[in-house]
Amino acid sequence: MMIIAASLLFAAMSEGPPPYPQSLNCAALTRAWSQLEEAAGSAGAAQAEDDAGFWAFALMDAARRDGMTPRGAEADYARETLEARKRFDQRDANASRELLDCQLMIPTRKSEATTG
């Protein structure tokens, strides 16, 4: 189900997913946020998980497009997620702003921002 949803979301992105570095940053930030939301038992945990799933697919697509191996992308993703977690733990305001920017790039979230 998640794969179908991600495919539909990518189809909605006319220019395709962002370049690998930006996709990696967004994937790491949303995964770290998702982990924090889940640990807190937050009502936003499901949305956080959806956002993280979207960016994980975007990351792998960007990695494939750049000729990277899945193993290399997964290693980058794990490392950057740990760094993002540290940033959130340190209350890094830039991390929060970057997370919001990433969320607003998700097609379904874009439409929520303009209609809600």
Side-chain angles (χ1 to χ4, degrees), residues 74-88:
E74 288 170 2
D76 288 348
Y77 182 38
R79 183 183 64 253
E80 292 298 317
T81 298
L82 288 174
E83 289 301 314
R85 216 26 222 271
K86 289 177 190 175
R87 292 176 68 194
F88 285 127

Side-chain angles (χ1 to χ4, degrees), residues 32-50 103:
W33 173 61
S34 174
Q35 292 169 345
L36 291 168
E37 290 291 307
E38 184 177 334
S42 168
Q47 182 65 59
E49 182 63 28
D50 287 348
Q103 290 169 323

Side-chain angles (χ1 to χ4, degrees), residues 19-29 59 73 76-80:
Y20 182 79
Q22 186 177 12
S23 292
L24 176 60
N25 187 53
C26 286
L29 287 167
L59 172 62
D76 288 348
Y77 182 38
R79 183 183 64 253
E80 292 298 317

Side-chain angles (χ1 to χ4, degrees), residues 4-110:
I4 294 169
S7 297
L8 292 173
L9 290 175
F10 282 134
M13 294 177 78
S14 60
E15 66 278 357
Y20 182 79
Q22 186 177 12
S23 292
L24 176 60
N25 187 53
C26 286
L29 287 167
T30 56
R31 173 55 58 208
W33 173 61
S34 174
Q35 292 169 345
L36 291 168
E37 290 291 307
E38 184 177 334
S42 168
Q47 182 65 59
E49 182 63 28
D50 287 348
D51 290 358
F54 173 86
W55 280 109
F57 283 110
L59 172 62
M60 289 304 157
D61 189 51
R64 178 194 51 76
R65 194 177 55 221
D66 286 1
M68 295 182 67
T69 65
R71 182 172 286 176
E74 288 170 2
D76 288 348
Y77 182 38
R79 183 183 64 253
E80 292 298 317
T81 298
L82 288 174
E83 289 301 314
R85 216 26 222 271
K86 289 177 190 175
R87 292 176 68 194
F88 285 127
D89 288 344
Q90 296 168 351
R91 307 260 192 259
D92 181 339
N94 288 329
S96 297
R97 281 190 289 274
E98 290 171 28
L99 173 64
L100 180 58
D101 289 343
C102 293
Q103 290 169 323
L104 291 174
M105 283 191 279
I106 298 172
T108 56
R109 299 281 272 208
K110 276 186 190 176

